[in-house]
Amino acid sequence: MSRRGRKPLATRHVDSLCGSERAKLRLQTILKTLQGQLTVPEACQVLGICQSRFHALRNEWLQEALDLLEPRPLGRPAQVVSPEEEEVARLQAENRDLKQQLRVTTVREELARVMPYVLRPAGDDPKKGAALS
């Protein structure tokens, strides 16, 4: 049974990553030991390090890779708002509210001058025959 599609790149994926050649060699060597292509002593010889350092390096890399794969909340993280920005936002909202209240008051005043009967409450109808002021 043959595989269909492209041949797996395996450790050659590392070649296309951004990083120094030394870091790429370390990563490729760690991957080869995980694949069983190299033994730990052979990997240590390639990298020029002792076995305890190799195990520490491999464990550190695996832990960081695992941390990157942990589930995270969806969406953008909430932005931290400084107290100054919070105060500015509050003042801007208050300014908008005050401008809206001013517009309403201006319209009411204009209505009161032009059509005073519109703003009069329903129960305040003057009695028939009473003089309008």
Side-chain angles (χ1 to χ4, degrees), residues 40-90:
V40 172
E42 290 171 338
C44 292
Q45 188 177 7
V46 169
L47 297 176
I49 58 176
C50 66
Q51 288 188 20
S52 62
R53 177 65 186 136
F54 177 81
H55 289 296
L57 191 65
R58 182 180 59 190
N59 289 341
E60 182 181 336
W61 177 73
L62 288 171
Q63 185 61 54
E64 288 180 19
L66 183 63
D67 292 343
L68 286 173
L69 296 175
E70 285 293 333
R72 294 194 173 118
L74 298 176
R76 291 184 180 176
Q79 293 183 350
V80 179
V81 180
S82 70
E84 293 84 16
E85 291 172 338
E86 200 171 278
E87 179 69 9
V88 167
R90 187 189 67 75

Side-chain angles (χ1 to χ4, degrees), residues 7 13 24-25 34 39 43 45 50 81 86 99 124 131-132:
K7 203 172 184 185
H13 276 291
K24 288 180 182 182
L25 176 64
L34 293 174
T39 64
Q45 188 177 7
C50 66
V81 180
E86 200 171 278
K99 284 181 180 180
D124 288 351
L132 292 175

Side-chain angles (χ1 to χ4, degrees), residues 116-132:
Y117 53 88
V118 172
L119 294 178
R120 192 176 295 143
D124 288 351
D125 287 338
K127 294 183 181 177
K128 290 184 179 178
L132 292 175

Side-chain angles (χ1 to χ4, degrees), residues 86-116:
E86 200 171 278
E87 179 69 9
V88 167
R90 187 189 67 75
L91 290 172
Q92 287 174 340
E94 183 181 346
N95 190 17
R96 277 192 308 272
D97 291 344
L98 290 173
K99 284 181 180 180
Q100 180 66 27
Q101 288 175 11
L102 177 62
R103 278 185 289 232
V104 168
T105 304
T106 304
V107 169
R108 281 187 178 175
E109 180 185 352
E110 190 175 325
L111 280 173
R113 263 189 275 123
V114 176
M115 302 185 305

